[in-house]
Amino acid sequence: MGARTIQRGKARQTVDGKDFRLADEIGYIQDKAADHELCMVTIGQLILFSTETGDAWLLDAADRLAARLARDGDPEPIHLEETDTTFAIGWKGQYRIQGSTFVYTDKNSHRVTSILGYPTQKIAQAG
């Protein structure tokens, strides 16, 4: 695995592949959510973001997959298997952006949730 560029906010940080841990980035964004801080991290096609309401999500922009990482500042469980060269994520649903609305569909219950106030324009640009 080669060098990987991680973008946090306006700064870019290049991390050698062997030093990259998705679990660390998930913990980072969950901490930002606990602080009710708006933050976005992009890693290739992955987008992690937190909001001022304490929510946090992990998104796959290419496949429109989504997993909630925090709600109201409290971390949510996520299934993640990670080795030195690969990782697998237990995606919980799919998302789409409709104007200023973040729309999430849970894969098990098929429940559709529409959320206002997320940084949808930045999510759309990052994806």
Side-chain angles (χ1 to χ4, degrees), residues 8-27:
R8 288 183 177 164
K10 294 181 181 176
R12 287 183 185 254
Q13 174 185 2
T14 302
V15 176
D16 186 61
K18 68 181 183 321
D19 295 328
F20 170 76
R21 295 285 177 259
L22 182 57
D24 293 342
E25 297 304 319
I26 289 171

Side-chain angles (χ1 to χ4, degrees), residues 20-112:
F20 170 76
R21 295 285 177 259
L22 182 57
D24 293 342
E25 297 304 319
I26 289 171
Y28 172 82
I29 210 73
Q30 287 174 322
D31 289 346
K32 294 295 182 184
D35 292 339
H36 295 264
E37 186 176 327
L38 181 62
C39 182
M40 183 176 289
V41 175
T42 58
I43 309 159
Q45 69 189 41
L46 298 179
I47 302 169
L48 297 91
F49 75 95
S50 62
T51 68
E52 293 168 334
T53 61
D55 293 346
W57 292 82
L58 171 61
L59 309 176
D60 180 321
D63 296 325
R64 300 291 182 223
L65 299 170
R68 187 187 293 263
L69 301 176
R71 182 190 313 250
D72 298 323
D74 296 323
E76 295 269 322
I78 181 167
H79 180 80
L80 174 67
E81 293 179 16
E82 189 169 23
T83 69
D84 287 343
T85 57
T86 63
F87 56 82
I89 300 163
W91 297 105
K92 298 177 183 178
Q94 295 189 299
Y95 80 96
R96 67 182 184 279
I97 304 295
Q98 290 184 316
S100 62
T101 307
F102 179 90
V103 181
Y104 172 73
T105 304
D106 184 274
K107 77 174 185 179
N108 291 328
S109 69
H110 303 288
R111 180 178 177 189
V112 177

